[in-house]
Amino acid sequence: MTRRKALGMALATAGAMMTSPAWAEVDFSGKTIEWIIPFSAGGGSDTWARFNAPLLSKYLPGQPTVVVVNEPGGGSTKGANLFAVRAKPDGLTLLGTSGSTQFPYLLGDPRVKYEYKDWKIAMAAPTGGVVYTSPSTGVEAVADLAKLKGQKLTYASQGATSLDLVPLLGFKLMGLDVQHVFGFKGRGDGRLAFERGETNIDYQTSSAYIKNVQPLVEAGQAVPLFSWGVLDEAGTIVRDPNFPDIPSFPEAYEMLTGMAPEGDDYDAFVAFFIAGFPAQKMAVLPKGTPDDIVAAFNAAFETMKQDPEYLANKQAVLGSYEQVTGGKAEGLFEMGTTISTQNRKNVVDMLGAHYGVKLGE
């Protein structure tokens, strides 16, 4: 079964968990739920969890206290490992993962002692991103994308196994000659390097692109190329509705090559794309958690999306993307944590041969 078909089947049953009355028997009155975030306080995942925590508390049965507990280390593998070992299946411990937790798992990093397939998805939070270039490349519009072929391009990267693995795989798949300069602390630092003229191709997540790059585009200092795209109901990558005039990655690939993307290398790209964007952040419950507790969390996350406080503040934290539950979250969870053995080997071998990357270091 293809990854696309798997998601399509999951989406066909979206919301089924929400119709079950089983969760009505769950009661967390007087309890405290720990939401483990395997990153330091103040980062994106921490901000995301602290935004959701009081709303989750409000709509879980019994209105328990939900506290965010930071367990940083090992690029998030430390906190995830501790959750896998310590968390009991009683609904009192929740883990917030991100692409930085998914990627080491997909790559088979030896630091990973957790098994995603043991966990139960309660909610997924997607995001998007846009790739852009400097007009110094001769590109003045998306239609000029082919002018990048054969040029020496430079990209500021956080590291080959970070979320910047998506552009690394994408650019390589397109046949672009990109030098990835590792060691930047964040995408904001990458953008500043672009603005200083140190690099000539970059990407920013959607909210950062709209806030910080769109002004550069309007000033003629940056040219949008493509978005990573979003998944439609059939599991196909399509244009991001936040950027309807910018082609998705598959469209840009076809513009460059004359063919739709396919094959093992594309499947590997899709696996990391989903783990890094459509399923970038996920709230999961531990192995063995009863279905009624999982359903209670699904229902709480779904109900809170109509809360006035949520509606008033979600744009600042989530951008234009909606958090998802039920069948859609299940589909994203499955696709964002699955990669074939051969595709994993191909990516790991490529990282070692071309970039000297040794997993676990």
Side-chain angles (χ1 to χ4, degrees):
M1 182 181 294
T2 66
R3 195 176 283 110
R4 183 188 302 177
K5 288 180 179 178
L7 180 59
M9 290 177 66
L11 295 178
T13 61
M17 294 181 69
M18 306 304 301
T19 63
S20 171
W23 61 268
E25 303 301 320
V26 176
D27 186 2
F28 291 116
S29 297
K31 303 291 187 180
T32 296
I33 294 174
E34 292 191 345
W35 191 338
I36 307 299
I37 295 297
F39 302 95
S40 300
S45 293
D46 180 69
T47 301
W48 165 71
R50 292 182 190 277
F51 166 69
N52 282 298
L55 293 160
L56 178 62
S57 171
K58 184 176 181 179
Y59 291 104
L60 277 173
Q63 297 187 327
T65 300
V66 179
V67 296
V68 175
V69 178
N70 300 95
E71 290 277 6
S76 82
T77 59
K78 176 184 174 182
N81 285 337
L82 290 173
F83 173 81
V85 172
R86 298 177 179 175
K88 297 178 180 179
D90 54 10
L92 299 183
T93 313
L94 186 69
L95 174 69
T97 76
S98 107
S100 298
T101 321
Q102 277 93 259
F103 281 19
Y105 172 80
L106 291 172
L107 290 168
D109 191 313
R111 295 174 300 176
V112 171
K113 307 302 180 185
Y114 49 89
E115 174 52 69
Y116 263 97
K117 305 305 182 185
D118 287 343
W119 296 341
K120 306 288 186 69
I121 180 73
M123 181 266 284
T127 190
V130 177
V131 174
Y132 55 96
T133 191
S134 168
S136 65
T137 61
V139 173
E140 298 179 357
V142 172
D144 300 328
L145 182 61
K147 290 184 179 180
L148 293 181
K149 295 282 285 186
Q151 290 203 49
K152 296 289 185 181
L153 302 172
T154 306
Y155 176 85
S157 173
Q158 298 170 83
T161 59
S162 71
L163 286 176
D164 285 328
L165 179 56
V166 173
L168 188 153
L169 294 174
F171 296 153
K172 186 173 184 295
L173 196 63
M174 286 178 152
L176 298 178
D177 184 1
V178 180
Q179 178 187 7
H180 295 262
V181 181
F182 301 129
F184 286 79
K185 293 183 178 180
R187 293 290 352 116
D189 292 325
R191 175 182 54 78
L192 291 175
F194 178 90
E195 291 187 38
R196 293 192 296 265
E198 298 168 4
T199 66
N200 55 10
I201 193 166
D202 188 50
Y203 105 84
Q204 294 292 315
T205 56
S206 298
S207 57
Y209 177 85
I210 292 169
K211 179 180 179 181
N212 299 313
V213 182
Q214 192 61 49
L216 300 179
V217 173
E218 294 169 357
Q221 298 170 3
V223 181
L225 297 175
F226 55 87
S227 75
W228 298 122
V230 298
L231 293 178
D232 67 11
E233 295 298 309
T236 303
I237 301 176
V238 297
R239 286 196 181 193
D240 189 323
N242 295 286
F243 310 104
D245 298 326
I246 301 177
S248 64
F249 174 82
E251 290 178 278
Y253 178 93
E254 191 162 358
M255 290 169 65
L256 276 175
T257 68
M259 301 178 293
E262 61 179 0
D264 289 346
D265 288 344
Y266 181 60
D267 285 346
F269 166 83
V270 170
F272 287 100
F273 156 71
I274 294 174
F277 292 92
Q280 186 187 77
K281 299 188 190 306
M282 296 191 284
V284 297
L285 292 158
K287 180 180 180 180
T289 301
D291 290 343
D292 58 348
I293 292 178
V294 177
F297 274 85
N298 268 264
F301 276 123
E302 188 65 25
T303 305
M304 78 178 191
K305 293 192 294 184
Q306 303 306 316
D307 187 279
E309 182 181 351
Y310 179 91
L311 295 172
N313 298 305
K314 73 168 187 173
Q315 182 69 30
V317 179
L318 305 175
S320 301
Y321 303 91
E322 190 59 87
Q323 299 181 121
V324 297
T325 58
K328 188 167 186 177
E330 293 257 2
L332 292 174
F333 178 79
E334 177 64 25
M335 294 177 71
T337 59
T338 301
I339 189 171
S340 73
T341 301
Q342 187 59 54
N343 286 345
R344 174 190 289 122
K345 182 178 186 304
N346 290 345
V347 173
V348 171
D349 289 349
M350 180 273 292
L351 292 175
H354 293 279
Y355 300 102
V357 173
K358 295 183 179 179
L359 296 178
E361 294 186 352

